[in-house]
Amino acid sequence: GAVVSQHPSRVICKSGTSVKIECRSLDFQATTMFWYRQFPKQSLMLMATSNEGSKATYEQGVEKDKFLINHASLTLSTLTVTSAHPEDSSFYICSAYRQLNSPLHFGNGTRLTVT
Amino acid sequence: DQQVKQNSPSLSVQEGRISILNCDYTNSMFDYFLWYKKYPAEGPTFLISISSIKDKNEDGRFTVFLNKSAKHLSLHIVPSQPGDSAVYFCAASGGGTSYDKVIFGPGTSLSVIP
């Protein structure tokens, strides 16, 4: 069964608004979660590493003020796309390690469309 | 600069035959390699992994081979089934911690023809 839950699965918003995406680890605690982004027919690009109780670590080229990450508890990380623009339209996926020496598990992703 | 490469964007295989998906990497710090399967509008699903201390790992119809000296790995699926049709991503991590970030290749779209 799923070990990482992501919500919503799809969202449409207007340009200039903000959107929050939630990522929850199910039946395990995740001190670290990862946020990826995928454009159509492209690879999964790592955006940032979400750390419980501390600031997220962003990959090069990812605007931290635009993509706000909050990892307030051991089972929840949120990604907020602020002042969204059409070019932010993408598929956002979160992931977490269930335990040491296990593979990275992914949520089902969120399709964001900015009109 | 891509650290994980999959040079074949697509592959078609007849049902029952072997599918071989290839992957190359450039970062010698990578020590753990994974293959994920992905359908449109869904998150990737873990298939199989291999540590750099091994050169082969098998799980049912799936076998991953690792050639460290060539920085190359491959995923073999045999026999291939129509349900295997999906995009396959090769991924790698490293740096000495099991909670390290995972870097993905561009993916190979596999079509298994009945």
Side-chain angles (χ1 to χ4, degrees):
Chain A
V3 298
V4 176
S5 172
Q6 198 170 332
H7 179 80
S9 58
R10 57 179 63 209
V11 57
I12 302 172
C13 72
K14 291 189 176 180
S15 224
T17 61
S18 296
V19 173
K20 181 186 284 189
I21 303 169
E22 293 187 347
C23 179
R24 295 182 185 274
S25 56
L26 306 177
D27 75 12
F28 71 98
Q29 294 180 332
T31 55
T32 303
M33 290 185 176
F34 302 89
W35 286 95
Y36 288 80
R37 178 178 183 178
Q38 185 186 28
F39 290 105
K41 298 191 186 299
Q42 293 191 25
S43 186
L44 288 80
M45 301 301 298
L46 179 65
M47 297 176 67
T49 302
S50 173
N51 304 299
E52 188 269 335
S54 65
K55 290 183 179 179
T57 305
Y58 290 82
E59 295 298 303
Q60 194 173 10
V62 178
E63 298 175 58
K64 61 180 182 179
D65 294 330
K66 179 161 191 62
F67 299 100
L68 299 179
I69 291 173
N70 184 17
H71 197 148
S73 79
L74 286 170
T75 59
L76 174 64
S77 173
T78 60
L79 168 68
T80 301
V81 183
T82 62
S83 187
H85 289 282
E87 57 264 32
D88 298 324
S89 298
S90 189
F91 192 58
Y92 294 87
I93 321 172
C94 70
S95 59
Y97 286 103
R98 188 172 190 170
Q99 59 190 38
L100 271 173
N101 300 316
S102 72
L104 197 59
H105 289 280
F106 286 82
N108 263 335
T110 297
R111 167 70 60 195
L112 170 64
T113 304
V114 184
T115 60
Chain B
D1 183 36
Q2 267 189 346
Q3 298 185 69
V4 180
K5 304 177 184 183
Q6 292 175 258
N7 292 324
S8 297
S10 62
L11 175 68
S12 285
V13 171
Q14 206 72 33
E15 181 180 4
R17 305 293 291 268
I18 185 171
S19 294
I20 299 176
L21 295 93
N22 293 303
C23 176
D24 298 287
Y25 61 96
T26 58
N27 190 339
S28 56
M29 294 298 291
F30 288 146
D31 59 7
Y32 187 57
F33 304 90
L34 313 95
W35 284 94
Y36 285 85
K37 177 180 180 180
K38 187 180 182 301
Y39 295 111
E42 292 184 12
T45 302
F46 169 73
L47 271 179
I48 192 168
S49 64
I50 188 166
S51 161
S52 60
I53 61 173
K54 294 186 174 182
D55 55 17
K56 178 182 175 181
N57 188 25
E58 193 171 352
D59 184 2
R61 296 186 298 115
F62 302 92
T63 303
V64 56
F65 295 92
L66 174 63
N67 182 333
K68 274 190 67 179
S69 60
K71 293 192 176 68
H72 177 84
L73 61 154
S74 61
L75 174 69
H76 292 210
I77 307 173
V78 55
S80 301
Q81 300 173 353
D84 296 329
S85 298
V87 177
Y88 289 78
F89 288 97
C90 172
S93 67
T97 167
S98 295
Y99 292 130
D100 199 26
K101 58 187 179 184
V102 176
I103 306 301
F104 283 77
T108 296
S109 178
L110 173 66
S111 295
V112 179
I113 304 162

